[in-house]
Amino acid sequence: MLRIANYDIVFREIPREVTLALNISGCPCRCPGCHSPHLQNDVGETLTDDLLNSLMHTYGNAVTCVCFMGGDKAPEEILRLAQLIRRQPTHLKTAWYSGRDNLPSANFIEHFDYIKLGRYIEQLGGLDAPNTNQKLYRISDFRLTVFDF
């Protein structure tokens, strides 16, 4: 069971997208220097299909993408929720920010438009740092392409 600690409309996490970012709690990665250590605790409201549908109904006309920020403790649930979004008539793009270094399985690229992979290593910095290990991939034709910031 995934929990959503909070959410916001953001403009930077997915370039050229107005994104509804859902901050998922219960992160198992425990990266030293994490910028969101409060998400390591299992807090917030249960992320049900009804809650996700309600958020899409409320914000679907204002955003172009829904991004799951975390969810590494239950990646198959993240995949299922992305599939739910794709079945909606809103045509919202889907994204996942994961602290994993690799995808749990290849079928993830069929259901996402963007995936960020890589645990946070403080001395290497985040996605916008020149030496970061983290990569944001844009998925097209079921191929991963690194998205440069």
Side-chain angles (χ1 to χ4, degrees):
M1 162 179 59
L2 294 174
R3 293 184 174 279
I4 180 172
N6 56 18
Y7 60 89
D8 202 357
I9 295 177
V10 297
F11 303 95
R12 184 165 177 179
E13 274 68 11
I14 305 297
R16 297 191 280 278
E17 302 291 348
V18 178
T19 303
L20 177 61
L22 307 176
N23 289 312
I24 310 296
S25 68
C27 181
C29 297
R30 307 281 194 261
C31 301
C34 174
H35 75 304
S36 301
H38 65 285
L39 295 178
Q40 294 173 5
N41 299 318
D42 198 20
V43 298
E45 187 174 353
T46 301
L47 183 52
T48 62
D49 292 2
D50 287 342
L51 176 56
L52 183 57
N53 283 324
S54 175
L55 290 169
M56 285 189 298
H57 177 76
T58 301
Y59 298 103
N61 291 329
V63 300
T64 59
C65 183
V66 175
C67 183
F68 299 97
M69 307 292 288
D72 288 300
K73 75 175 189 175
E76 294 301 323
E77 181 65 6
I78 292 293
L79 177 62
R80 190 188 69 74
L81 292 168
Q83 291 168 330
L84 176 75
I85 293 168
R86 290 207 180 236
R87 286 193 299 268
Q88 304 302 314
T90 56
H91 304 291
L92 292 171
K93 294 177 183 169
T94 55
W96 182 33
Y97 263 47
S98 172
R100 295 170 173 266
D101 291 324
N102 299 296
L103 287 174
S105 67
N107 65 343
F108 273 69
I109 65 173
E110 297 174 32
H111 303 285
F112 289 93
D113 297 286
Y114 304 93
I115 296 178
K116 191 278 303 178
L117 292 174
R119 61 188 160 4
Y120 179 70
I121 300 174
E122 193 169 13
Q123 59 270 31
L124 298 179
L127 275 174
D128 57 354
N131 296 320
T132 187
N133 63 301
Q134 298 180 321
K135 301 287 184 233
L136 177 63
Y137 297 96
R138 183 173 50 90
I139 301 165
S140 59
D141 299 324
F142 304 115
R143 291 180 305 189
L144 297 175
T145 305
V146 175
F147 203 110
D148 291 322
F149 276 81

